[in-house]
Amino acid sequence: LNSRVRPAVGPGSRFEIDSPSAISAVRGTELRVAFDREDTTSRVEVLKGGVAVSGQKKTRLIRSGFGTLIESGTPPSPPIRLLPAPELEPLPEKIEQPSWPIRWQPLEGAGRYRMEVALSPEFTTFLWDRAVDAPRAALPGLPDGPYYARVRGIASNGIEGLNTIAKLVLNIHPEPPIPLRPEDQGAVRGVAPELHWTASSEAAKYR
């Protein structure tokens, strides 16, 4: 659960997220809360502001850039520093190849990574979400247009780190045909060359 809560004051301004093993209370912040059904562990990751996390009659204040683990029947763990935002490798101005891989520098302490794709930099509506083992992920099949990719590291304890956000512009369709004959750098003698390429299911004509 990703939440962006406007700061508020006065009675009734409290915003709470109740998971099976913890309660997170905020008055204005940006945070992520997750619950794992298998090990009944809750995770709280604070990106802005501060969050009071309660469990087993103990409350901890978790500030921006930190997270906490709450196992069932135990109080929240001491604050855990979030992994830094990954550094993305340079992107082309327009991506013109299907399944283009987004790459980033490996993060020390990251066991996995998460990449998300949305239409806006606020990520109010997700189009795609994947956790991957390596510091790269191939883009899903999407219509041409502008998108935003968000990448973060995942520590071995499941706590997810700070985000890197990049704008993408896809210009893939119709997919380009693949040249067949003559071969690249090949020589043709005596007759005018005849060009052959693979058919594109999206093309009505070729130039």
Side-chain angles (χ1 to χ4, degrees), residues 180-195:
L180 297 177
R181 296 195 302 274
E183 294 181 0
D184 186 31
Q185 305 297 324
V188 178
R189 298 182 177 86
V191 296
E194 189 174 82
L195 307 180

Side-chain angles (χ1 to χ4, degrees), residues 28-183:
T29 187
E30 187 173 343
L31 76 157
R32 297 189 299 253
V33 177
F35 176 71
D36 192 320
R37 290 179 181 273
E38 293 184 3
D39 60 12
T40 63
T41 298
S42 295
R43 301 190 314 271
V44 179
E45 300 138 9
V46 183
L47 305 180
K48 291 182 181 179
V51 178
V53 182
S54 302
Q56 294 297 303
K57 300 181 180 181
K58 184 176 180 62
T59 299
R60 287 191 186 274
L61 178 61
I62 308 300
R63 299 189 182 277
S64 176
F66 290 84
T68 183
L69 289 171
I70 311 95
E71 298 180 4
S72 181
T74 64
S77 72
I80 301 167
R81 185 176 293 278
L82 303 184
L83 291 174
E87 181 181 347
L88 297 184
E89 294 189 3
L91 293 167
E93 185 176 343
K94 292 183 178 179
I95 295 174
E96 298 181 327
Q97 295 182 18
S99 303
W100 179 272
I102 306 296
R103 304 176 187 273
W104 53 89
Q105 297 298 318
L107 282 177
E108 185 178 352
R112 306 188 78 194
Y113 302 88
R114 185 176 302 282
M115 190 173 94
E116 303 160 328
V117 177
L119 286 172
S120 70
E122 293 79 21
F123 281 78
T124 51
T125 302
F126 288 84
L127 301 177
W128 189 79
D129 181 349
R130 289 288 185 278
V132 295
D133 295 328
R136 62 183 180 276
L139 286 172
L142 294 168
D144 288 348
Y147 298 92
Y148 291 86
R150 187 162 73 179
V151 180
R152 58 181 176 265
I154 305 175
S156 57
N157 57 16
I159 292 282
E160 303 194 9
L162 301 176
N163 296 311
T164 290
I165 298 177
K167 185 177 181 180
L168 316 171
V169 178
L170 302 188
N171 184 30
I172 296 173
H173 305 280
E175 293 186 15
I178 300 173
L180 297 177
R181 296 195 302 274
E183 294 181 0

